[in-house]
Amino acid sequence: MNLLILPCNPPPIDVIIHTFASNFPDMKLQFILPLFISLGQLAAQPVSLETASPDGQVRVRLSLGSNGEPSYSVSFMGKEVVAPSALGLQLRNHDMTKGLRAIGNRSFTRSENWKPVWGEVDQIADQCNGTVLELQDASGLRMDIVVRVYDDGAGIRYEFPENDKGRALIVMDEITSFNLTEDLQAWWAPSDWDSNEHTYRNTRLSQVDATSYLGDIEPFNQAIKNVRAMLTPVTMQSDNGYCISIADAAVQDYGAMHLEQGQNPAHLRARVIPGADNRVVATGRMPFNTPWRAILLEKDAAGILSNRLILNLNEPCKIEGDLSWIKPQKYVGIWWEMHIGKSTWYYTDKNTGKPVPNHGANTANVKKYIDFAAKNGFSGVLVEGWNTGWEEWFNSGKEEIFDFTKPYPDYDMDEISRYAREKGVKIIVHHETSAAVPSYVRQMPAAYDYMKQHGFDAIKTGYVGYVIPKGQWHDGQYMVNHYNDVLRETARRQIMVVAHEPTCPSGLHRTWPNFMAAEAARGQEYNAWSKGNDPSHELTLIFTRWLGGPMDYTPGIFQLELNQFDANKKERVRTTLAKQLAMYVTLYSPVQMAADLPENYEKRPAEFQFIRDVPTDWSDTRILNAAVGDYATIARRKKNSQEWFIGSMTDELNRSFKVKLDFLEKGKAYEATLYEDGENAHYLNNPYPVNIRKIKVRKGDKLTINLAAGGGFAAKLTPLK
Ligand code: NOJ
Ligand code: CA
């Protein structure tokens, strides 16, 4: 469905030259050709190409104006949702935003089903129509604009084919714009070049203003350069209901894209985070392509939660051979106890130079966690604070503070390796780099060999603090390339990765399925030592940050008041306990932590049973209801099983839903174990009561879900024999 619609429809210039020239003897050709080319450059021939999605609801018109400037517009369900908006790149020495000439175009379709290595569903349909507009600047440098139009949105990117007019390429700016047609409601976080760990706001586009974030002490490292700019993915909704999210997909060899506002606040423009000179957006070599600019379109908020555009815009899995080492899993760890002040990451007291009494990562404590994991069917134990360097951690600005092959004296790596193997559990090895990238890169091969020699095959990386080399931003090309290098290096060695403080994911887990999860947002940890996450936080994250890929949010806090080890500690988790359970279903990730301490789980075995039962890999997912920032109810079927799980959560308002169980198999009865907010439960003053009961259900039954303020609901549905 790719129509060339031009009123006079002139043939492309090279066709004209060809027919014209063939009418003249060879001799004259030398004069005529240059004449024609320069005429062609003065007034480009307008081009207008429309591409429609397979269902016809999404239409993208790609145009080249009379000054040779590319642009596009998008309509959805018959309404213009992106008005004509600029496209193009400013390269050093080549202006690829105007004065361009169309030298051809072609259309294509894609239609295939692919199976993710792990995921929310067994199979994903990749079906779209596409157009390539082939452009050239006056010097002959080629640039193609590629559009793919799916039923759930559109992707646009720039491609530079192999071209000897400029093998090296330096992108100074990308002007891709998104001229939205309404002052939409937006759920946004500020455009911080160095951190994506801010809270989210919900305002109209005209009210986007990050001034109040400036000077906020959390997160620790930050760089907000423009208070009228937003992080991506950003999700917006019109008063008529339709939802649009803008994100980047397949971000490789390029900075991450944030969005700035124009005079008209609904007119957004890409701001690709630059390198240390604060100018260059990317350097590369041809052939080169930018990431995709993804525009997700859905008729309602529920659609956003099952949108697959970003995954479809990413390349297929690049890891060859056996993939059985990539294992979705639940894990526990020596982690929360540091965040709430029970133990420390560091081994030595900096003032006295003596070992502290409560270093967390000691052999006996690790064994305790291994035992707990083995007993409860968890395959991973994260251990933080195991290696030397923590005494100097936290934005020391120094390189080489951590050694990733040198455990602290009380951490017996050989014994832990032996014990873990005996119990069938693996340590998730922590590599906090403190964002000192060259130090980490230098140590990576040895660090990976060391952990593999001890039988461990998963890392959690961390990049807290300002980046070294100084001046680079967490969201710039330098860091994007580093994070992606880590994925490739670890894939070669069969190591899974959970990355903290990375660039926001952009669907790369399709290509590198060893990329299990990333933080890239404000996780549960903020509840332990900051003003915390409000009850709408997770309900905003799943519609925004989560679109790029799974988050390591670390749910499962059972002791919601955090003064267990420090009577003066006022911080608390602002959810009910049932909502912590719901998160295992609603917050999709192939790795899920049971983040609280074993002793806190042992106090509540009945509630803990849900965490023991819930899987991390799924065959099917259904969104039963959803409103951005307010509530969501999701049902998922366990991978290769007939068991279903349901999670529902709400913001600070209590709600009641009736959901139809029409996803169950016909004719089967199921035993449903329900975990409901108990009587008078409330996230602020009564978060603990959970009412656990069993009922019998069948396909088509209506299930009533009552959620307390800040509450949640979880259920496990097992077919009865
Ligand atoms: C921040 C990470 O998000 C957290 O999970 C980790 O415990 C600390 N950094 C220390 O590396
Ligand atoms: Ca963090």
Side-chain angles (χ1 to χ4, degrees):
M1 196 99 30
N2 180 7
L3 317 165
L4 180 68
I5 31 168
L6 270 178
C8 51
N9 218 359
I13 190 99
D14 49 355
V15 178
I16 300 180
I17 292 171
H18 182 77
T19 30
F20 210 86
S22 56
N23 295 330
F24 289 84
D26 277 350
M27 238 169 54
K28 288 186 184 164
L29 197 61
Q30 294 156 18
F31 302 99
I32 292 162
L33 269 179
L35 176 77
F36 245 95
I37 289 169
S38 57
L39 278 179
Q41 279 153 9
L42 280 180
Q45 302 161 73
V47 173
S48 183
L49 303 162
E50 190 185 68
T51 316
S53 59
D55 70 358
Q57 296 292 347
V58 182
R59 287 170 186 271
V60 177
R61 181 177 300 278
L62 193 55
S63 308
L64 188 69
S66 54
N67 294 319
E69 74 287 15
S71 67
Y72 77 105
S73 61
V74 183
S75 73
F76 178 50
M77 299 192 304
K79 181 186 157 29
E80 183 175 69
V81 292
V82 182
S85 303
L87 291 172
L89 299 176
Q90 289 284 354
L91 305 185
R92 184 173 288 168
N93 302 329
H94 296 271
D95 180 356
M96 305 306 279
T97 69
K98 57 181 181 306
L100 303 176
R101 198 162 67 87
I103 59 169
N105 68 76
R106 58 204 142 83
S107 57
F108 61 90
T109 60
R110 292 166 65 91
S111 181
E112 60 171 81
N113 289 322
W114 60 278
K115 289 183 190 305
V117 176
W118 41 259
E120 295 176 87
V121 289
D122 274 339
Q123 188 160 291
I124 294 177
D126 176 348
Q127 275 163 0
C128 70
N129 296 316
T131 298
V132 183
L133 174 59
E134 298 169 352
L135 301 169
Q136 201 168 63
D137 78 349
S139 77
L141 179 66
R142 280 278 315 278
M143 177 180 83
D144 294 347
I145 298 181
V146 185
V147 173
R148 285 206 216 159
V149 187
Y150 290 84
D151 293 349
D152 60 358
I156 302 177
R157 78 172 182 187
Y158 306 93
E159 297 183 353
F160 293 84
E162 189 74 56
N163 191 315
D164 55 12
K165 282 281 184 294
R167 289 189 60 82
L169 144 157
I170 301 176
V171 184
M172 304 303 294
D173 195 12
E174 175 179 332
I175 68 161
T176 307
S177 298
F178 307 85
N179 293 340
L180 305 176
T181 52
E182 286 174 70
D183 186 13
L184 301 164
Q185 289 277 349
W187 286 264
W188 58 275
S191 157
D192 188 324
W193 295 11
D194 238 357
S195 174
N196 24 36
E197 299 189 1
H198 291 274
T199 55
Y200 277 75
R201 302 261 156 90
N202 169 212
T203 68
R204 295 221 176 245
L205 284 169
S206 55
Q207 305 303 311
V208 168
D209 178 359
T211 310
S212 63
Y213 287 96
L214 297 172
D216 193 344
I217 53 160
E218 47 187 71
F220 172 67
N221 50 295
Q222 32 182 303
I224 298 175
K225 307 276 188 175
N226 176 341
V227 293
R228 291 185 56 223
M230 307 175 282
L231 203 68
T232 65
V234 59
T235 290
M236 294 157 286
Q237 189 163 22
S238 91
D239 294 341
N240 311 330
Y242 79 83
C243 279
I244 175 167
S245 304
I246 301 177
D248 43 14
V251 180
Q252 305 186 70
D253 217 4
Y254 210 78
M257 178 182 74
H258 296 195
L259 293 171
E260 287 184 351
Q261 294 186 309
Q263 286 289 78
N264 177 339
H267 288 185
L268 307 175
R269 189 210 118 124
R271 167 59 55 207
V272 179
I273 306 314
D277 68 347
N278 285 340
R279 295 190 63 214
V280 173
V281 157
T283 57
R285 291 201 161 267
M286 295 173 209
F288 183 87
N289 57 257
T290 66
W292 291 95
R293 279 56 191 99
I295 303 172
L296 287 62
L297 291 163
E298 294 287 350
K299 65 180 189 332
D300 56 24
I304 292 289
L305 296 180
S306 47
N307 190 291
R308 306 282 174 237
L309 177 69
I310 292 178
L311 275 177
N312 276 329
L313 291 173
N314 273 269
E315 287 167 46
C317 177
K318 282 200 175 147
I319 308 177
E320 284 168 6
D322 170 37
L323 298 178
S324 62
W325 55 275
I326 300 176
K327 288 201 172 72
Q329 58 182 285
K330 285 176 286 189
Y331 71 100
V332 290
I334 300 185
W335 179 75
W336 188 241
E337 59 174 75
M338 279 86 97
H339 285 269
I340 60 173
K342 180 185 182 189
S343 61
T344 64
W345 282 275
Y346 51 85
Y347 174 73
T348 314
D349 184 324
K350 256 179 140 176
N351 299 322
T352 65
K354 298 213 175 84
V356 294
N358 58 337
H359 173 234
N362 64 75
T363 307
N365 199 24
V366 177
K367 285 187 175 178
K368 193 183 102 183
Y369 276 83
I370 292 175
D371 288 341
F372 183 76
K375 184 171 151 207
N376 293 294
F378 299 160
S379 37
V381 175
L382 166 70
V383 183
E384 296 201 355
W386 66 276
N387 62 324
T388 58
W390 288 91
E391 288 74 10
E392 294 210 71
W393 180 59
F394 217 72
N395 222 31
S396 64
K398 288 191 204 160
E399 297 206 57
E400 308 293 348
I401 62 173
F402 286 110
D403 188 326
F404 302 101
T405 54
K406 198 164 170 210
Y408 277 130
D410 60 344
Y411 185 87
D412 184 340
M413 187 67 156
D414 293 333
E415 173 58 10
I416 286 167
S417 160
R418 186 200 64 75
Y419 195 73
R421 200 183 305 256
E422 182 186 308
K423 298 280 174 165
V425 166
K426 288 185 181 177
I427 302 298
I428 299 174
V429 179
H430 189 220
H431 288 170
E432 172 57 64
T433 69
S434 65
V437 174
S439 306
Y440 187 52
V441 170
R442 191 183 60 74
Q443 292 193 48
M444 269 160 52
Y448 299 154
D449 286 348
Y450 179 70
M451 58 181 277
K452 288 289 284 195
Q453 280 154 14
H454 286 89
F456 306 144
D457 61 2
I459 53 170
K460 169 179 170 179
T461 55
Y463 296 85
V464 174
Y466 291 105
V467 174
I468 300 175
K470 224 173 150 190
Q472 297 288 359
W473 310 106
H474 280 78
D475 272 4
Q477 182 190 24
Y478 175 86
M479 289 304 282
V480 165
N481 286 356
H482 169 69
Y483 297 124
N484 293 346
D485 287 347
V486 168
L487 295 180
R488 274 188 292 268
E489 275 305 303
T490 49
R492 274 198 320 119
R493 296 158 192 268
Q494 306 200 330
I495 294 173
M496 294 173 274
V497 179
V498 175
H500 277 229
E501 295 84 31
T503 305
C504 187
S506 59
L508 278 180
H509 55 290
R510 174 176 180 190
T511 313
W512 301 104
N514 64 320
F515 184 18
M516 307 302 284
E519 188 188 40
R522 191 183 174 91
Q524 177 99 274
E525 63 183 19
Y526 274 79
N527 288 322
W529 35 254
S530 82
K531 61 177 183 276
N533 301 339
D534 67 46
S536 63
H537 184 62
E538 300 90 358
L539 284 154
T540 307
L541 285 179
I542 55 174
F543 294 92
T544 52
R545 149 70 185 79
W546 234 281
L547 300 176
M551 177 174 176
D552 184 36
Y553 189 76
T554 69
I557 299 305
F558 273 23
Q559 179 59 44
L560 298 154
E561 293 140 304
L562 304 176
N563 56 1
Q564 219 175 337
F565 302 99
D566 173 358
N568 295 322
K569 203 166 162 56
K570 297 273 176 305
E571 287 84 359
R572 60 180 300 154
V573 178
R574 281 180 286 158
T575 71
T576 64
L577 200 152
K579 184 169 174 178
Q580 291 289 322
L581 298 180
M583 289 181 195
Y584 288 89
V585 184
T586 53
L587 308 184
Y588 168 68
S589 177
V591 289
Q592 289 283 24
M593 186 172 204
D596 211 337
L597 315 182
E599 53 265 43
N600 291 337
Y601 290 132
E602 272 152 6
K603 281 181 218 152
R604 297 181 190 276
E607 289 88 341
F608 185 52
Q609 187 59 41
F610 183 77
I611 303 182
R612 298 182 55 172
D613 291 342
V614 70
T616 53
D617 200 11
W618 309 95
S619 278
D620 200 358
T621 288
R622 307 292 171 92
I623 312 302
L624 305 184
N625 60 35
V628 189
D630 296 340
Y631 60 86
T633 307
I634 301 176
R636 302 190 198 270
R637 181 162 62 81
K638 183 178 172 178
K639 190 96 179 167
N640 302 328
S641 153
Q642 289 309 316
E643 254 180 17
W644 284 84
F645 289 76
I646 301 175
S648 181
M649 50 183 202
T650 176
D651 59 3
E652 69 287 354
L653 301 180
N654 62 310
R655 298 174 200 270
S656 182
F657 303 124
K658 272 201 179 0
V659 297
K660 203 161 177 207
L661 305 178
D662 51 8
F663 47 85
L664 297 178
E665 201 179 307
K666 208 173 163 194
K668 267 209 169 102
Y670 293 75
E671 179 186 76
T673 310
L674 313 182
Y675 299 77
E676 307 168 295
D677 280 322
E679 214 181 320
N680 296 325
H682 191 287
Y683 74 102
L684 283 178
N685 51 34
N686 192 27
Y688 296 107
V690 179
N691 184 29
I692 304 175
R693 63 190 174 102
K694 288 188 194 301
I695 58 171
K696 217 168 161 190
V697 295
R698 291 176 173 277
K699 181 183 173 76
D701 284 358
K702 283 201 176 136
L703 182 68
T704 303
I705 298 179
N706 292 315
L707 303 174
F713 167 93
K716 173 186 162 197
L717 281 62
T718 312
L720 291 165
K721 295 267 148 44

mmCIF file of all heavy atoms in Angstrom, residues 660-662 664-670 696-702:
data_model
loop_
_atom_site.group_PDB
_atom_site.id
_atom_site.type_symbol
_atom_site.label_atom_id
_atom_site.label_comp_id
_atom_site.label_asym_id
_atom_site.label_seq_id
_atom_site.Cartn_x
_atom_site.Cartn_y
_atom_site.Cartn_z
ATOM 1 N N LYS A 660 -13.636 -10.085 33.302
ATOM 2 C CA LYS A 660 -14.186 -11.318 32.735
ATOM 3 C C LYS A 660 -13.042 -12.286 32.443
ATOM 4 O O LYS A 660 -12.049 -11.906 31.808
ATOM 5 C CB LYS A 660 -14.931 -10.969 31.451
ATOM 6 C CG LYS A 660 -15.949 -11.984 31.105
ATOM 7 C CD LYS A 660 -16.986 -11.450 30.138
ATOM 8 C CE LYS A 660 -17.924 -12.583 29.786
ATOM 9 N NZ LYS A 660 -18.533 -12.442 28.486
ATOM 10 N N LEU A 661 -13.212 -13.503 32.886
ATOM 11 C CA LEU A 661 -12.143 -14.497 32.705
ATOM 12 C C LEU A 661 -12.337 -15.225 31.373
ATOM 13 O O LEU A 661 -12.402 -16.454 31.329
ATOM 14 C CB LEU A 661 -12.144 -15.484 33.880
ATOM 15 C CG LEU A 661 -12.036 -14.833 35.267
ATOM 16 C CD1 LEU A 661 -12.107 -15.885 36.357
ATOM 17 C CD2 LEU A 661 -10.747 -14.032 35.391
ATOM 18 N N ASP A 662 -12.429 -14.457 30.289
ATOM 19 C CA ASP A 662 -12.721 -15.143 29.022
ATOM 20 C C ASP A 662 -11.463 -15.706 28.349
ATOM 21 O O ASP A 662 -11.552 -16.303 27.289
ATOM 22 C CB ASP A 662 -13.529 -14.252 28.065
ATOM 23 C CG ASP A 662 -12.897 -12.901 27.892
ATOM 24 O OD1 ASP A 662 -11.761 -12.725 28.395
ATOM 25 O OD2 ASP A 662 -13.510 -12.021 27.264
ATOM 26 N N LEU A 664 -9.664 -18.010 29.826
ATOM 27 C CA LEU A 664 -9.474 -19.390 30.298
ATOM 28 C C LEU A 664 -9.963 -20.384 29.250
ATOM 29 O O LEU A 664 -10.743 -20.042 28.358
ATOM 30 C CB LEU A 664 -10.241 -19.594 31.610
ATOM 31 C CG LEU A 664 -9.757 -18.732 32.785
ATOM 32 C CD1 LEU A 664 -10.625 -18.989 34.016
ATOM 33 C CD2 LEU A 664 -8.283 -18.996 33.092
ATOM 34 N N GLU A 665 -9.490 -21.607 29.396
ATOM 35 C CA GLU A 665 -9.880 -22.620 28.414
ATOM 36 C C GLU A 665 -11.309 -23.091 28.661
ATOM 37 O O GLU A 665 -11.699 -23.320 29.815
ATOM 38 C CB GLU A 665 -8.910 -23.805 28.489
ATOM 39 C CG GLU A 665 -8.910 -24.618 27.222
ATOM 40 C CD GLU A 665 -7.914 -25.762 27.315
ATOM 41 O OE1 GLU A 665 -6.742 -25.494 27.637
ATOM 42 O OE2 GLU A 665 -8.328 -26.921 27.079
ATOM 43 N N LYS A 666 -12.040 -23.209 27.583
ATOM 44 C CA LYS A 666 -13.444 -23.593 27.685
ATOM 45 C C LYS A 666 -13.584 -24.997 28.293
ATOM 46 O O LYS A 666 -12.796 -25.875 27.994
ATOM 47 C CB LYS A 666 -14.056 -23.579 26.281
ATOM 48 C CG LYS A 666 -15.513 -23.289 26.287
ATOM 49 C CD LYS A 666 -16.040 -23.127 24.882
ATOM 50 C CE LYS A 666 -17.546 -23.274 24.958
ATOM 51 N NZ LYS A 666 -18.145 -23.465 23.669
ATOM 52 N N GLY A 667 -14.554 -25.126 29.145
ATOM 53 C CA GLY A 667 -14.861 -26.445 29.683
ATOM 54 C C GLY A 667 -13.969 -26.879 30.842
ATOM 55 O O GLY A 667 -14.164 -27.938 31.410
ATOM 56 N N LYS A 668 -13.002 -26.062 31.187
ATOM 57 C CA LYS A 668 -12.098 -26.426 32.297
ATOM 58 C C LYS A 668 -12.483 -25.652 33.549
ATOM 59 O O LYS A 668 -12.862 -24.489 33.461
ATOM 60 C CB LYS A 668 -10.664 -26.022 31.931
ATOM 61 C CG LYS A 668 -9.870 -27.098 31.275
ATOM 62 C CD LYS A 668 -8.375 -26.931 31.591
ATOM 63 C CE LYS A 668 -7.633 -28.165 31.145
ATOM 64 N NZ LYS A 668 -6.930 -28.013 29.905
ATOM 65 N N ALA A 669 -12.349 -26.313 34.688
ATOM 66 C CA ALA A 669 -12.513 -25.586 35.955
ATOM 67 C C ALA A 669 -11.128 -25.278 36.503
ATOM 68 O O ALA A 669 -10.183 -26.053 36.302
ATOM 69 C CB ALA A 669 -13.295 -26.443 36.935
ATOM 70 N N TYR A 670 -11.007 -24.151 37.145
ATOM 71 C CA TYR A 670 -9.709 -23.735 37.692
ATOM 72 C C TYR A 670 -9.854 -23.446 39.173
ATOM 73 O O TYR A 670 -10.870 -22.886 39.614
ATOM 74 C CB TYR A 670 -9.231 -22.440 37.024
ATOM 75 C CG TYR A 670 -8.877 -22.570 35.560
ATOM 76 C CD1 TYR A 670 -9.881 -22.668 34.595
ATOM 77 C CD2 TYR A 670 -7.549 -22.565 35.140
ATOM 78 C CE1 TYR A 670 -9.568 -22.770 33.252
ATOM 79 C CE2 TYR A 670 -7.226 -22.659 33.795
ATOM 80 C CZ TYR A 670 -8.237 -22.764 32.852
ATOM 81 O OH TYR A 670 -7.926 -22.860 31.524
ATOM 82 N N LYS A 696 -13.414 -21.373 42.939
ATOM 83 C CA LYS A 696 -13.398 -22.144 41.691
ATOM 84 C C LYS A 696 -13.921 -21.237 40.573
ATOM 85 O O LYS A 696 -14.945 -20.566 40.761
ATOM 86 C CB LYS A 696 -14.326 -23.344 41.860
ATOM 87 C CG LYS A 696 -13.827 -24.586 41.194
ATOM 88 C CD LYS A 696 -14.681 -25.713 41.689
ATOM 89 C CE LYS A 696 -14.615 -26.899 40.794
ATOM 90 N NZ LYS A 696 -15.608 -27.896 41.152
ATOM 91 N N VAL A 697 -13.227 -21.188 39.461
ATOM 92 C CA VAL A 697 -13.692 -20.321 38.365
ATOM 93 C C VAL A 697 -13.652 -21.064 37.029
ATOM 94 O O VAL A 697 -12.968 -22.083 36.889
ATOM 95 C CB VAL A 697 -12.832 -19.033 38.248
ATOM 96 C CG1 VAL A 697 -12.977 -18.155 39.475
ATOM 97 C CG2 VAL A 697 -11.361 -19.364 37.992
ATOM 98 N N ARG A 698 -14.398 -20.496 36.076
ATOM 99 C CA ARG A 698 -14.429 -21.039 34.714
ATOM 100 C C ARG A 698 -14.377 -19.894 33.722
ATOM 101 O O ARG A 698 -14.625 -18.739 34.070
ATOM 102 C CB ARG A 698 -15.752 -21.788 34.473
ATOM 103 C CG ARG A 698 -15.882 -23.034 35.252
ATOM 104 C CD ARG A 698 -17.262 -23.673 35.050
ATOM 105 N NE ARG A 698 -17.271 -24.966 35.702
ATOM 106 C CZ ARG A 698 -16.792 -26.078 35.139
ATOM 107 N NH1 ARG A 698 -16.304 -26.069 33.911
ATOM 108 N NH2 ARG A 698 -16.800 -27.214 35.800
ATOM 109 N N LYS A 699 -14.102 -20.261 32.495
ATOM 110 C CA LYS A 699 -14.104 -19.272 31.413
ATOM 111 C C LYS A 699 -15.427 -18.496 31.425
ATOM 112 O O LYS A 699 -16.490 -19.076 31.586
ATOM 113 C CB LYS A 699 -13.952 -19.997 30.074
ATOM 114 C CG LYS A 699 -13.909 -19.089 28.862
ATOM 115 C CD LYS A 699 -13.824 -19.938 27.589
ATOM 116 C CE LYS A 699 -13.956 -19.089 26.346
ATOM 117 N NZ LYS A 699 -12.757 -18.322 26.019
ATOM 118 N N GLY A 700 -15.318 -17.197 31.277
ATOM 119 C CA GLY A 700 -16.524 -16.365 31.196
ATOM 120 C C GLY A 700 -16.984 -15.833 32.544
ATOM 121 O O GLY A 700 -17.760 -14.886 32.600
ATOM 122 N N ASP A 701 -16.497 -16.442 33.639
ATOM 123 C CA ASP A 701 -16.871 -15.922 34.970
ATOM 124 C C ASP A 701 -16.369 -14.496 35.134
ATOM 125 O O ASP A 701 -15.365 -14.111 34.539
ATOM 126 C CB ASP A 701 -16.227 -16.770 36.087
ATOM 127 C CG ASP A 701 -16.939 -18.099 36.265
ATOM 128 O OD1 ASP A 701 -17.943 -18.324 35.552
ATOM 129 O OD2 ASP A 701 -16.469 -18.899 37.100
ATOM 130 N N LYS A 702 -17.078 -13.768 35.993
ATOM 131 C CA LYS A 702 -16.606 -12.418 36.315
ATOM 132 C C LYS A 702 -15.974 -12.434 37.698
ATOM 133 O O LYS A 702 -16.561 -12.910 38.661
ATOM 134 C CB LYS A 702 -17.775 -11.449 36.298
ATOM 135 C CG LYS A 702 -18.149 -11.101 34.872
ATOM 136 C CD LYS A 702 -18.923 -9.812 34.819
ATOM 137 C CE LYS A 702 -19.181 -9.452 33.376
ATOM 138 N NZ LYS A 702 -20.556 -9.015 33.169
#
